[in-house]
Amino acid sequence: MRSKKALWAFGLFLLAAPLAGCIQPLYGPLADGGGSVATEMQAVSIEPIGDRLGHYLENELIFGFNGTGSRVPPRYRLFVSLSESTQTPLVDTVTGQASAANVLVTANFRLEHATGGPPIYKDSATVVASYDRTTQRFASVRAARDAEIRDAERLADQIRTRIAAIFAAGAPPQAPAPVVVPKS
């Protein structure tokens, strides 16, 4: 019995051994040896995002990209636009009032070089947070705001992870050289 387990474990080891070098940490050193993903992430400048939800998301992104508080000259700019909707899937049949709601938020974002040029990466992310609605108006408003905050945190995580994966896959293309017009 003991030898079967040992043989089984040895077989799994032999199958997994060739894969040992295939795994690269997301926030480890870059493949080209030019720094790390963390230093590239710190060089991303978050452009202002409007509205209350945008404020929450902007703060989460600033902390997620550069939580150290150090000043790094920006090499990239991140633009985010948000769309938010509220859905009420549950309605109390007696009162006709919604008893729960979902806050659905979609973020369209693009990463560009700080000097301009075509986007390095464009994508969108969607999240949903649910909350209970009550007859107490303030409690419902506060619950909706908490759902927005949860959405902002989850969106920031998705955006940060996707951009980190782009940096880890290889350095983004260099910024285009400025066009020099010869004087005539």
Side-chain angles (χ1 to χ4, degrees):
M1 180 78 143
R2 192 170 177 91
S3 63
K4 279 187 174 181
K5 287 183 181 179
L7 187 59
W8 180 254
F10 183 70
L12 285 176
F13 172 75
L14 286 178
L15 288 173
L19 299 175
C22 297
I23 298 172
Q24 177 183 352
L26 180 61
Y27 293 101
L30 294 174
D32 62 0
S36 69
V37 173
T39 57
E40 290 295 313
M41 299 281 282
Q42 289 176 351
V44 175
S45 170
I46 313 300
E47 294 299 312
I49 309 168
D51 295 330
R52 181 181 62 239
L53 178 61
H55 169 74
Y56 297 143
L57 179 60
E58 185 179 338
N59 285 342
E60 290 293 329
L61 287 171
I62 289 170
F63 180 75
F65 278 89
N66 187 4
T68 64
S70 61
R71 289 274 191 207
V72 178
R75 290 191 301 270
Y76 309 100
R77 292 174 32 189
L78 180 65
F79 297 90
V80 181
S81 62
L82 298 173
S83 63
E84 177 183 10
S85 65
T86 303
Q87 303 168 342
T88 54
L90 299 175
V91 176
D92 187 353
T93 57
V94 176
T95 63
Q97 300 290 324
S99 60
N102 295 329
V103 177
L104 175 74
V105 180
T106 300
N108 295 309
F109 59 96
R110 72 183 189 280
L111 183 68
E112 296 180 358
H113 285 284
T115 57
I120 298 168
Y121 180 67
K122 289 181 2 174
D123 205 351
S124 66
T126 303
V127 294
V128 177
S130 299
Y131 67 95
D132 291 332
R133 296 177 84 172
T134 67
T135 55
Q136 297 175 345
R137 186 173 176 192
F138 179 75
S140 293
V141 169
R142 185 66 229 181
R145 187 164 296 171
D146 288 344
E148 285 180 342
I149 292 170
R150 289 194 309 271
D151 278 345
E153 290 170 352
R154 291 177 41 212
L155 277 174
D157 286 342
Q158 286 188 24
I159 293 170
R160 187 183 77 242
T161 302
R162 291 179 192 186
I163 291 176
I166 293 299
F167 287 138
Q174 296 297 321
V179 177
V180 177
V181 179
K183 294 182 180 180
S184 50

